[in-house]
Structure formats: structure tokens, C-alpha cells
Amino acid sequence: MKLIPLGMTLSAALALGGCMSDSSSVGATRTQTGDEAAASQVAVKMIAFNDFHGNLEAPGTLAIPDPKDPSKTVKVTAGGVDYLAAWVKQLRAQSPNTVVVSAGDLIGASPLVSGLFHDEPTIEAMNLLGLDINAVGNHEFDDGQDELLRMQNGGCKAGGGDTTCQNGGSFAGAKFKFLAANVQKQDGGTLFPAYEIKKYGNIPVAFIGMTLKGTPDIVSPTGIQGLSFKDEADTVNALVPKLKAQGVAAVVVVVHEGGYQSGNYNECKGISGPIVDIVKKLDKAVGLVVTGHTHQAYNCQIDGRTVTSAKNYGQLFTEINFKLSPATRTFVPGSIQAVNRPVTQDIAPLASISSLVQFYLTKAAPIANKPVGTLAGALTRTASAAGESTLGDVLADSQLDAGRAQGAVAAFMNPGGIRADLAPAADGSISYKQIYTVQPFGNTMMTMTLTGAQIDRLLEQQWSNPSQPKILQVSSGFSYSWSQSAPAGSKVDINSITINGVKIDPAASYTVQVNNFIAGGGDGFTVLTEGGNRVGGGVDVDVLQSYLAKHANLPVPALNRIVQLP
């Protein structure tokens, strides 16, 4: 099946940059009859993206193959929800059977233009784009399950003041469906429907949507109380018999979990990660899996299924074409084709969405453009071999500064909460929009007391998942060393942990400052739930703003607080 080019510039780049996957269906329940005419097969077009994170504006450039020399790449501005919508509109015009899906993290950790208004702008933009399905991701739970339900059902945010229901004085909620097959409530039901069945040529196709089972480890526990997150493959496999009883033989899984590969955005070099095991465990009725979470791009064949992911922030989308057989009511063998395409801006943006984005940009401008401080140089998330970054150091320092009134002597910042680098303008200035983009979650500060032994356990929990360590950023005056070769649980020598040059006493108590996310055990730092004398503080972005106001031309810190040993 030949894919129709989207435009001369784009199609030329894609022709040089990648390959289409062509998979045989593993979901057929019986062999096609020999006299079944190809003309009777039903063609379906699917457009998929993931990890949009409220990026209504183009987040930056994307490397694509150079049309003049395929061995090289060129950078182009890619993204912008109005351009994404324009490509969707063009593709939708090619097929009467088109479905648009998102594999989670549609909202959450969003830039100011969406985050300031509680992500209502992103939902409104996706309504105009024509999104059909969003499988919930972990970031959909950033503000808790009640707020997520509001995203679906509409209504103004309680206590939102002048940052909610700005578009016409109301918020209607999502016209598309949130799906959450593996997010179970205490009564045994699911928070959102487990699947959506769509019919094409009277042939039903089930779309099962869900998030990763590890969501409780990376979201605030208070926001998911009463919910349990089940195994992804087990959830799908339990649903398949129910779907078959409804006459469904073709199943698509849209899951917010993914993998990693080393090739370009249309390759699948060395694919690894949780998605590999998940796909291998899936019932053979599943012929197609759309993934996310890892912010990677790939176009794979795993266990005979097509498995895709389209990076993040709306810079890529996946065009997937397949055919359904009227005889078998499932995928025609060999018909599933997928290709990741960049959201280039060599197309007229969708005017209705451009106007919507501009409306919110104008609303946010007085806050967004306000200067909040000056830097002597760029602060980045780029970590040293020990796991320390200049931006992480400054954030921890700002939080320590805010906690000193409660007696804090150290502060710890989770690296996953740092969402962007901080680069000053030519005059050294930075804006509120920039610091909001760095810390978009609105986490509040919390001081607590920990013993020296608990601090040691906290540091060891950085390797609770040895394959993906989370190195806490630490404030000035706190230092320690860790061993790369030592096993998890024994990487930090407690005798190396010092506060202002003094070794910690395992039995003594120390007041520390953290954000409410990890204070509740987020990111696996469960020892923080044991902290005593807990006192709440300010919002993280406000704390940083206050710190910058106190330190004009803030220098870039030296990376010498955390030491890695062999």
C-alpha cells in the first residue's frame, strides 16, 4: 500500500530519512477466502502522537534527513498545535475512515500558555483538531483524579480564579474520550472506559487505552488515592475475550509506556525497555500497539506486531494505514504500514487553532514576559557523571533559602521535576515564562525532620530502579560520594555525607526542605513519608523567583557537591 506524500518538502525529507513498516496481522481468526476481492477490504487511516504535554507552540527544532544529502541532517522548526492540526486535516481528507489517538501525557508539565490556565487551552485545541482518543498517562494525574475528571466532563476549576474558564466564560471539557483500562477504582470499575469500539465498513475495531502500571511511583500519592494500576498485558488479555464476545477480532492497544532505540525516528535499532516485554505478552488479537512515555521515536516490529512512538511535544506524528477484511473482520495480512512524520511548518496552520493559541498567549503575556532575575550564564539539566547539574544545584539552593526560616539545613530536588534549561537573554535577564517552563507543576515546599540514617536511606533510594537511577539535586553545603560499582542499597558511604563540612550523625535529626511530590513518596523516595514535623511552604516557581530577586547576576555553580567513585 503506497502512502500518499504530504508535500514536496516533507515527502522528500521522509523518503531519504526512514522506512515504512509492513507487518502481517497476528489477529486473524481464520484464513481469508481465495475469492475475497481486494476491493471489498476496508481501508483505515490512524494518526497517532504522544507526550504532547500542552506544547501549543512549537517547542523548538527537529533534526530531519537533509533532502540533498541523506547522510546528513538539517534542523527545522517542528511542532505547533495549529500545524499539527493542519496535517491531521490533510490526512483526514484522504480517508473517510480516520481515527486520531494520543498515547498519554496530553496534558501536565505544560508550558505557561497552557499550564497557567490549568491545561484547558490544550483540551480546547484538541477538540478543534479532532482528537478521538487519549489513553491516560502518568502526567494526566499531576493535579489528581478529580481534576482529570474535570478535563473530560468540563466545568471551571474550583479556586482557579482568573485562570480558568477564560474562553467564553466556560470550559466544556474534552469532546474526545479518555481511556484507562488498567486504572481501577475501589469498586472494581475503571476511572475512565477501558476501550472504545469504532466501526469501519461495519467491521468493529477495539481501541484499548491505558497508562503504565508504574504510575504510582511517579505521581503524587494524594492525587491517586483509591486507585490501583494494573499490569498492562494482563489487562489487555483479560479484555480480549469480552471483546470477542462482542464480535471484535481487531484490537489496537494505545498505551502510555514505551521503549528506547538508537536509530532515527523511523527506525528500530536495539529496541529495549518495558514495552518489549509487554508486547510479547499480549494476546494475538492485538496487531498494533501505539506507545509513549519515554519521549522516543521508533517504528518497530515486535513479536509480529507494529509498535510505534512519535517522540514528544507534538513534533512528530505517526501515520498508520491498515485494511480490514470483511471475511475475517480483522487486519488484512501485510496491510499495516506506519511512518513517523515531522510536523513541519510548510503548510498553512489551522486558523481556528492559531486564533485560540493567540487568545491564551495574549492572556498570559503580562505574567509571561515579566523579568524575574539575571544570570551570569546558562543553567542546564545536563548532568555530570555523578548526576549533578547546574540548574539542579540552583533549584535546590532556592528551596533551601526558602526553608531556612523553618530551620532547614539541606534541600533535595527530584531531577524529573526539572523540565527545561534556563538560558538568559543577551543582557542576562530571564522571564517568568522561562522559570515556569522549568518548574510547571506548581509543587509546594515542605520542611521535615529526618535522622542522619534516614538521609542515608533517601540517597540509596536514588537507585530503587537500578536501570534508571534518579539522582537528587542537593543544596549548597550538602555533599556525599557514591560508588558506581557498589550494588543498589550500598552505593553511598554514610561517612561521606556532610552538611557544611560536618559528617552527619545517623542518630541526630536534621531539618530538610523538599517539594510535596517527593514528600509524599513520589519517584520512589518513600523514606520521605517518614519525616516528622512537616511544615508546608511556598510554590516552587515562586520560591525560585524570590531567590533570583535576591541574587542579581547569579553565577553558574561548580559541580562539586556529588562525587562519583569507581
Short mmCIF file of all heavy atoms in Angstrom, two decimals, residues 444-486:
data_model
loop_
_atom_site.label_atom_id
_atom_site.label_comp_id
_atom_site.label_asym_id
_atom_site.label_seq_id
_atom_site.Cartn_x
_atom_site.Cartn_y
_atom_site.Cartn_z
N THR A 444 4.42 22.48 46.04
CA THR A 444 4.67 23.32 47.21
C THR A 444 5.84 22.76 48.02
O THR A 444 6.12 21.56 47.98
CB THR A 444 3.43 23.42 48.10
OG1 THR A 444 3.00 22.10 48.46
CG2 THR A 444 2.31 24.14 47.38
N MET A 445 6.48 23.66 48.73
CA MET A 445 7.62 23.27 49.54
C MET A 445 7.16 22.68 50.88
O MET A 445 6.09 22.99 51.39
CB MET A 445 8.50 24.49 49.83
CG MET A 445 9.16 25.08 48.59
SD MET A 445 10.37 23.96 47.84
CE MET A 445 9.41 23.26 46.51
N MET A 446 8.00 21.81 51.43
CA MET A 446 7.70 21.22 52.72
C MET A 446 9.00 20.95 53.47
O MET A 446 9.92 20.33 52.93
CB MET A 446 6.93 19.91 52.57
CG MET A 446 6.55 19.25 53.89
SD MET A 446 5.46 17.83 53.66
CE MET A 446 3.95 18.66 53.20
N THR A 447 9.08 21.46 54.68
CA THR A 447 10.20 21.10 55.54
C THR A 447 9.77 19.92 56.42
O THR A 447 8.59 19.75 56.75
CB THR A 447 10.65 22.26 56.44
OG1 THR A 447 9.53 22.73 57.20
CG2 THR A 447 11.23 23.40 55.64
N MET A 448 10.76 19.11 56.78
CA MET A 448 10.53 17.96 57.65
C MET A 448 11.83 17.61 58.34
O MET A 448 12.92 18.03 57.91
CB MET A 448 10.02 16.77 56.86
CG MET A 448 11.00 16.24 55.82
SD MET A 448 10.44 14.74 54.98
CE MET A 448 9.04 15.33 54.06
N THR A 449 11.73 16.83 59.41
CA THR A 449 12.93 16.36 60.07
C THR A 449 13.20 14.91 59.71
O THR A 449 12.29 14.08 59.68
CB THR A 449 12.82 16.49 61.61
OG1 THR A 449 11.65 15.80 62.06
CG2 THR A 449 12.74 17.94 62.03
N LEU A 450 14.46 14.63 59.39
CA LEU A 450 14.94 13.29 59.11
C LEU A 450 16.16 13.02 59.96
O LEU A 450 16.94 13.93 60.24
CB LEU A 450 15.33 13.14 57.63
CG LEU A 450 14.26 13.31 56.55
CD1 LEU A 450 14.92 13.24 55.18
CD2 LEU A 450 13.17 12.25 56.67
N THR A 451 16.33 11.78 60.35
CA THR A 451 17.58 11.42 61.03
C THR A 451 18.67 11.26 59.98
O THR A 451 18.42 11.12 58.77
CB THR A 451 17.42 10.10 61.79
OG1 THR A 451 17.19 9.03 60.85
CG2 THR A 451 16.28 10.16 62.80
N GLY A 452 19.90 11.26 60.44
CA GLY A 452 21.02 11.03 59.52
C GLY A 452 20.88 9.69 58.82
O GLY A 452 21.19 9.56 57.62
N ALA A 453 20.39 8.68 59.53
CA ALA A 453 20.20 7.36 58.94
C ALA A 453 19.14 7.41 57.84
O ALA A 453 19.26 6.75 56.80
CB ALA A 453 19.81 6.34 60.00
N GLN A 454 18.09 8.20 58.06
CA GLN A 454 17.05 8.33 57.04
C GLN A 454 17.57 9.08 55.81
O GLN A 454 17.20 8.75 54.68
CB GLN A 454 15.83 9.04 57.62
CG GLN A 454 15.02 8.17 58.59
CD GLN A 454 13.92 8.94 59.28
OE1 GLN A 454 14.11 10.09 59.71
NE2 GLN A 454 12.76 8.33 59.41
N ILE A 455 18.43 10.07 56.02
CA ILE A 455 19.04 10.77 54.89
C ILE A 455 19.88 9.79 54.07
O ILE A 455 19.85 9.81 52.83
CB ILE A 455 19.89 11.96 55.38
CG1 ILE A 455 18.98 13.05 55.94
CG2 ILE A 455 20.77 12.51 54.25
CD1 ILE A 455 19.72 14.22 56.57
N ASP A 456 20.60 8.92 54.74
CA ASP A 456 21.38 7.91 54.03
C ASP A 456 20.46 6.99 53.22
O ASP A 456 20.75 6.68 52.05
CB ASP A 456 22.19 7.11 55.05
CG ASP A 456 23.05 6.03 54.39
OD1 ASP A 456 23.72 6.34 53.38
OD2 ASP A 456 23.03 4.88 54.86
N ARG A 457 19.35 6.57 53.81
CA ARG A 457 18.39 5.72 53.08
C ARG A 457 17.78 6.47 51.89
O ARG A 457 17.55 5.89 50.82
CB ARG A 457 17.29 5.26 54.03
CG ARG A 457 17.72 4.17 55.01
CD ARG A 457 16.65 3.92 56.06
NE ARG A 457 15.34 3.69 55.47
CZ ARG A 457 14.18 3.97 56.07
NH1 ARG A 457 14.17 4.51 57.28
NH2 ARG A 457 13.05 3.70 55.46
N LEU A 458 17.52 7.77 52.08
CA LEU A 458 16.99 8.59 50.99
C LEU A 458 17.94 8.57 49.80
O LEU A 458 17.51 8.37 48.65
CB LEU A 458 16.80 10.03 51.48
CG LEU A 458 16.43 11.06 50.40
CD1 LEU A 458 15.05 10.78 49.83
CD2 LEU A 458 16.49 12.48 50.99
N LEU A 459 19.21 8.73 50.05
CA LEU A 459 20.19 8.72 48.96
C LEU A 459 20.28 7.36 48.31
O LEU A 459 20.44 7.26 47.08
CB LEU A 459 21.55 9.18 49.49
CG LEU A 459 21.61 10.61 50.04
CD1 LEU A 459 23.01 10.92 50.56
CD2 LEU A 459 21.20 11.63 48.98
N GLU A 460 20.15 6.31 49.08
CA GLU A 460 20.19 4.96 48.49
C GLU A 460 18.98 4.72 47.60
O GLU A 460 19.06 3.97 46.61
CB GLU A 460 20.24 3.90 49.60
CG GLU A 460 21.53 3.88 50.41
CD GLU A 460 22.74 3.38 49.63
OE1 GLU A 460 22.58 2.97 48.45
OE2 GLU A 460 23.85 3.39 50.19
N GLN A 461 17.85 5.36 47.91
CA GLN A 461 16.65 5.16 47.10
C GLN A 461 16.76 5.80 45.72
O GLN A 461 15.89 5.59 44.87
CB GLN A 461 15.42 5.70 47.84
CG GLN A 461 14.99 4.80 48.99
CD GLN A 461 13.70 5.26 49.67
OE1 GLN A 461 13.31 6.43 49.59
NE2 GLN A 461 13.05 4.34 50.35
N GLN A 462 17.82 6.53 45.47
CA GLN A 462 18.07 7.04 44.12
C GLN A 462 18.24 5.90 43.12
O GLN A 462 18.05 6.07 41.93
CB GLN A 462 19.31 7.94 44.12
CG GLN A 462 19.12 9.21 44.95
CD GLN A 462 20.39 10.03 45.05
OE1 GLN A 462 20.42 11.20 44.73
NE2 GLN A 462 21.48 9.40 45.52
N TRP A 463 18.61 4.73 43.63
CA TRP A 463 18.80 3.54 42.79
C TRP A 463 17.74 2.48 43.08
O TRP A 463 17.98 1.29 42.91
CB TRP A 463 20.20 2.96 43.01
CG TRP A 463 21.29 3.88 42.52
CD1 TRP A 463 21.80 3.95 41.26
CD2 TRP A 463 21.96 4.89 43.29
NE1 TRP A 463 22.77 4.92 41.20
CE2 TRP A 463 22.89 5.52 42.42
CE3 TRP A 463 21.89 5.32 44.61
CZ2 TRP A 463 23.72 6.54 42.84
CZ3 TRP A 463 22.71 6.35 45.02
CH2 TRP A 463 23.62 6.95 44.15
N SER A 464 16.55 2.90 43.47
CA SER A 464 15.48 1.93 43.71
C SER A 464 15.14 1.20 42.41
O SER A 464 14.71 0.05 42.42
CB SER A 464 14.23 2.62 44.27
OG SER A 464 13.79 3.66 43.41
N ASN A 465 15.36 1.87 41.28
CA ASN A 465 15.32 1.23 39.97
C ASN A 465 16.72 1.36 39.39
O ASN A 465 17.05 2.38 38.78
CB ASN A 465 14.29 1.88 39.05
CG ASN A 465 14.22 1.21 37.68
OD1 ASN A 465 15.03 0.33 37.36
ND2 ASN A 465 13.27 1.63 36.87
N PRO A 466 17.57 0.35 39.57
CA PRO A 466 18.98 0.49 39.17
C PRO A 466 19.19 0.84 37.71
O PRO A 466 20.18 1.49 37.36
CB PRO A 466 19.57 -0.89 39.50
CG PRO A 466 18.66 -1.45 40.55
CD PRO A 466 17.31 -0.95 40.20
N SER A 467 18.26 0.43 36.84
CA SER A 467 18.43 0.72 35.42
C SER A 467 18.10 2.16 35.07
O SER A 467 18.51 2.67 34.02
CB SER A 467 17.56 -0.22 34.58
OG SER A 467 16.18 0.02 34.84
N GLN A 468 17.36 2.84 35.93
CA GLN A 468 17.01 4.24 35.71
C GLN A 468 17.14 5.02 37.01
O GLN A 468 16.14 5.41 37.62
CB GLN A 468 15.58 4.36 35.15
CG GLN A 468 15.41 3.74 33.78
CD GLN A 468 13.98 3.88 33.26
OE1 GLN A 468 13.18 4.64 33.79
NE2 GLN A 468 13.65 3.12 32.25
N PRO A 469 18.36 5.26 37.47
CA PRO A 469 18.54 5.98 38.73
C PRO A 469 18.02 7.41 38.64
O PRO A 469 18.03 8.02 37.57
CB PRO A 469 20.06 5.95 38.93
CG PRO A 469 20.63 5.73 37.57
CD PRO A 469 19.64 4.89 36.85
N LYS A 470 17.57 7.93 39.76
CA LYS A 470 17.09 9.31 39.86
C LYS A 470 17.95 10.02 40.89
O LYS A 470 17.73 9.90 42.09
CB LYS A 470 15.62 9.33 40.27
CG LYS A 470 14.66 8.69 39.27
CD LYS A 470 13.23 8.76 39.77
CE LYS A 470 12.23 8.23 38.74
NZ LYS A 470 12.34 6.77 38.56
N ILE A 471 18.95 10.75 40.41
CA ILE A 471 19.90 11.41 41.31
C ILE A 471 19.32 12.74 41.77
O ILE A 471 19.10 13.66 40.99
CB ILE A 471 21.25 11.64 40.61
CG1 ILE A 471 21.81 10.31 40.08
CG2 ILE A 471 22.25 12.28 41.58
CD1 ILE A 471 22.06 9.26 41.13
N LEU A 472 19.05 12.83 43.07
CA LEU A 472 18.52 14.06 43.65
C LEU A 472 19.54 15.19 43.53
O LEU A 472 20.73 14.99 43.73
CB LEU A 472 18.17 13.84 45.12
CG LEU A 472 16.99 12.91 45.42
CD1 LEU A 472 16.99 12.51 46.88
CD2 LEU A 472 15.67 13.58 45.04
N GLN A 473 19.04 16.37 43.22
CA GLN A 473 19.89 17.56 43.22
C GLN A 473 19.93 18.11 44.63
O GLN A 473 18.89 18.18 45.31
CB GLN A 473 19.35 18.58 42.24
CG GLN A 473 19.17 18.02 40.83
CD GLN A 473 20.46 17.50 40.22
OE1 GLN A 473 21.34 18.26 39.86
NE2 GLN A 473 20.59 16.17 40.11
N VAL A 474 21.12 18.47 45.10
CA VAL A 474 21.29 18.83 46.51
C VAL A 474 21.77 20.27 46.64
O VAL A 474 22.43 20.81 45.76
CB VAL A 474 22.27 17.86 47.22
CG1 VAL A 474 21.73 16.44 47.16
CG2 VAL A 474 23.66 17.93 46.61
N SER A 475 21.45 20.87 47.77
CA SER A 475 21.76 22.27 48.00
C SER A 475 23.20 22.47 48.43
O SER A 475 23.90 21.54 48.85
CB SER A 475 20.82 22.84 49.08
OG SER A 475 20.90 22.05 50.26
N SER A 476 23.64 23.72 48.33
CA SER A 476 24.99 24.09 48.72
C SER A 476 25.23 23.74 50.19
O SER A 476 24.36 23.96 51.04
CB SER A 476 25.19 25.60 48.51
OG SER A 476 26.46 26.00 48.92
N GLY A 477 26.40 23.19 50.48
CA GLY A 477 26.74 22.79 51.84
C GLY A 477 26.50 21.32 52.10
O GLY A 477 27.02 20.77 53.08
N PHE A 478 25.71 20.67 51.23
CA PHE A 478 25.48 19.23 51.37
C PHE A 478 26.33 18.51 50.33
O PHE A 478 26.34 18.87 49.16
CB PHE A 478 23.99 18.91 51.13
CG PHE A 478 23.62 17.48 51.41
CD1 PHE A 478 23.12 17.12 52.65
CD2 PHE A 478 23.79 16.49 50.44
CE1 PHE A 478 22.77 15.80 52.92
CE2 PHE A 478 23.45 15.17 50.70
CZ PHE A 478 22.94 14.82 51.96
N SER A 479 27.03 17.46 50.77
CA SER A 479 27.85 16.71 49.82
C SER A 479 27.94 15.25 50.25
O SER A 479 27.74 14.91 51.43
CB SER A 479 29.25 17.32 49.71
OG SER A 479 29.94 17.20 50.93
N TYR A 480 28.23 14.40 49.26
CA TYR A 480 28.42 12.98 49.53
C TYR A 480 29.06 12.35 48.30
O TYR A 480 29.16 12.96 47.23
CB TYR A 480 27.09 12.29 49.86
CG TYR A 480 26.18 12.11 48.66
CD1 TYR A 480 26.13 10.91 47.96
CD2 TYR A 480 25.36 13.17 48.22
CE1 TYR A 480 25.30 10.75 46.87
CE2 TYR A 480 24.52 13.01 47.13
CZ TYR A 480 24.50 11.80 46.46
OH TYR A 480 23.69 11.64 45.37
N SER A 481 29.50 11.12 48.44
CA SER A 481 30.04 10.36 47.31
C SER A 481 29.30 9.03 47.20
O SER A 481 28.78 8.51 48.18
CB SER A 481 31.54 10.13 47.48
OG SER A 481 31.81 9.41 48.65
N TRP A 482 29.26 8.52 45.97
CA TRP A 482 28.63 7.22 45.73
C TRP A 482 29.48 6.41 44.78
O TRP A 482 30.22 6.94 43.96
CB TRP A 482 27.21 7.37 45.20
CG TRP A 482 27.06 8.06 43.87
CD1 TRP A 482 26.94 9.40 43.64
CD2 TRP A 482 27.00 7.43 42.58
NE1 TRP A 482 26.80 9.67 42.30
CE2 TRP A 482 26.83 8.47 41.61
CE3 TRP A 482 27.04 6.11 42.14
CZ2 TRP A 482 26.73 8.22 40.25
CZ3 TRP A 482 26.94 5.86 40.77
CH2 TRP A 482 26.79 6.90 39.84
N SER A 483 29.35 5.09 44.91
CA SER A 483 30.19 4.16 44.13
C SER A 483 29.40 3.57 42.97
O SER A 483 28.32 3.00 43.17
CB SER A 483 30.71 3.04 45.03
OG SER A 483 31.32 2.03 44.26
N GLN A 484 29.96 3.68 41.81
CA GLN A 484 29.31 3.14 40.62
C GLN A 484 29.24 1.62 40.64
O GLN A 484 28.27 1.02 40.19
CB GLN A 484 30.05 3.61 39.37
CG GLN A 484 29.40 3.20 38.06
CD GLN A 484 30.15 3.74 36.86
OE1 GLN A 484 31.34 3.99 36.92
NE2 GLN A 484 29.44 3.94 35.75
N SER A 485 30.26 1.00 41.19
CA SER A 485 30.34 -0.46 41.15
C SER A 485 29.60 -1.14 42.31
O SER A 485 29.33 -2.33 42.26
CB SER A 485 31.80 -0.91 41.16
OG SER A 485 32.46 -0.44 42.33
N ALA A 486 29.29 -0.39 43.34
CA ALA A 486 28.61 -0.98 44.50
C ALA A 486 27.17 -1.36 44.15
O ALA A 486 26.55 -0.72 43.30
CB ALA A 486 28.62 0.00 45.68
#
